[in-house]
Amino acid sequence: MTNTTVSTAVAVQESGPGALVAQCRGDIELVMPSHMQKRVGAWIRTTQGLLRRDPKLLKAAQNDVGQFMSVLLDAARLGLEPGTEQYYLVPRWSKAKRCTEVTGVRGYQGEIELMYRAGAVSSVIVEVVYSNDQFTYRPGHDERPLHEIDWDADDRGELRLAYAYAVMKDGATSKVVVLNKGHIAKARAKSDAADKDWSPWNTDTEAMWLKTAAHRLTKWVPTSAEYIREQLRAHADVAAEQAPAVLAPLPQPLDRGDEDEAIDAEFVDEEA
């Protein structure tokens, strides 16, 4: 959060988190991808509506408005809709603060959206397999899984597997990710709130299986952030080739400061 956002959070805390979201419109719009900025008003109104409809979420946001705004800015930076299966807003108990606070969890639709936005895939398939479904996939033999569902069945059984793959724009199939109950259990164990009744692991179990498979697929398919970095690098290379040759300046001693200081870092979603 910027200093302006923090100051605004303190100033309007008595007015409620909904007012804070509106006050911080400039900061939200600043970090949003360009294609989202034209609908920042609708994005803010949707978030305010979530607070009005969910007393637990509102209370958690009131307990720490700074944390709440950090989560919203993360969703805005990714260009995802908070409070949806793109990006969950979850009240979580904080042992340190002795109260609930809002945390953000990327959903499976958010993971898929980031893959599409990278521009390298034509389609992304993420599905769950129930015990009464027919599922076959032989790595090294089958290009894609064969998944047959009896849509007339009253009960497809219990959740058994989750899988994900992408079809690239050149027609090639990405690595196929297949997860069984053991893989899902390990992913769930990484969530310190999985046993809470409000956790999406309990309120939307199938979606979390889908999210886990989609998240694993991001290791094999370009994401939006990767795509942007590659585009910037490509533009820089072209500019360097077109620029006139100049003599390089003599190297200067570096003021390294604290050798242990983190120069650049990226938070990794450990939810799955």
Side-chain angles (χ1 to χ4, degrees):
M1 294 177 66
T2 65
N3 291 334
T4 302
T5 306
V6 174
S7 301
T8 305
V10 174
V12 303
Q13 185 164 4
E14 295 80 6
S15 302
L20 171 61
V21 177
Q23 291 282 342
C24 295
R25 174 174 178 148
D27 293 276
I28 293 171
E29 189 172 8
L30 183 65
V31 301
M32 275 184 166
S34 57
H35 75 280
M36 291 283 293
Q37 291 174 355
K38 60 184 179 182
R39 37 190 314 269
V40 62
W43 192 95
I44 289 174
R45 289 191 295 273
T46 298
T47 304
Q48 292 172 324
L50 293 171
L51 294 170
R52 288 193 296 269
R53 294 191 300 271
D54 190 338
K56 291 182 179 180
L57 180 64
L58 175 60
K59 178 61 176 174
Q62 290 171 332
N63 289 337
D64 191 335
V65 292
Q67 166 68 12
F68 173 61
M69 280 307 304
S70 293
V71 169
L72 287 188
L73 288 174
D74 180 59
R77 177 182 61 82
L78 294 170
L80 302 178
E81 295 282 352
T84 70
E85 289 182 340
Q86 285 192 353
Y87 194 96
Y88 292 99
L89 296 180
V90 182
R92 181 184 65 179
W93 179 258
S94 170
K95 294 180 180 179
K97 301 172 186 174
R98 304 298 301 169
C99 65
T100 57
E101 63 181 9
V102 178
T103 187
V105 179
R106 268 184 287 175
Y108 79 96
Q109 290 185 0
E111 301 280 10
I112 293 172
E113 169 65 19
L114 294 178
M115 286 185 243
Y116 275 120
R117 203 181 298 161
V121 303
S122 61
S123 62
V124 179
I125 292 81
V126 185
E127 294 287 350
V128 290
V129 180
Y130 284 84
S131 56
N132 292 336
D133 296 349
Q134 298 296 319
F135 179 83
T136 304
Y137 176 63
R138 300 172 300 167
H141 293 83
D142 301 330
E143 182 181 11
R144 302 170 188 176
L146 175 63
H147 184 192
E148 297 182 357
I149 302 171
D150 181 1
W151 296 109
D152 290 325
D154 294 331
D155 183 7
R156 290 174 60 190
E158 298 180 354
L159 282 168
R160 174 188 162 206
L161 303 169
Y163 67 93
Y165 65 91
V167 179
M168 314 307 289
K169 285 194 171 178
D170 62 3
T173 301
S174 73
K175 178 180 177 64
V176 178
V177 174
V178 181
L179 305 178
N180 60 25
K181 287 184 177 181
H183 298 125
I184 299 297
K186 289 180 181 179
R188 179 186 173 116
K190 293 181 181 179
S191 171
D192 56 5
D195 60 339
K196 306 298 183 184
D197 58 358
W198 39 260
S199 169
W201 279 106
N202 298 310
T203 61
D204 205 348
T205 304
E206 180 180 302
M208 290 306 291
W209 280 54
L210 292 167
K211 178 266 171 82
T212 306
H215 184 66
R216 295 289 177 88
L217 182 61
T218 61
K219 298 177 181 180
W220 306 97
V221 175
T223 64
S224 181
E226 292 170 347
Y227 176 71
I228 291 173
R229 284 195 292 267
E230 289 298 326
Q231 292 298 303
L232 291 175
R233 187 176 297 113
H235 288 310
D237 290 343
V238 171
E241 291 177 0
Q242 295 177 348
V246 296
L247 293 176
L250 293 175
Q252 299 297 318
L254 294 176
D255 180 10
R256 304 194 68 86
D258 185 356
E259 291 289 345
D260 293 331
E261 182 181 0
I263 303 301
D264 191 13
E266 180 177 292
F267 286 101
V268 178
D269 178 15
E270 295 293 343
E271 192 68 25

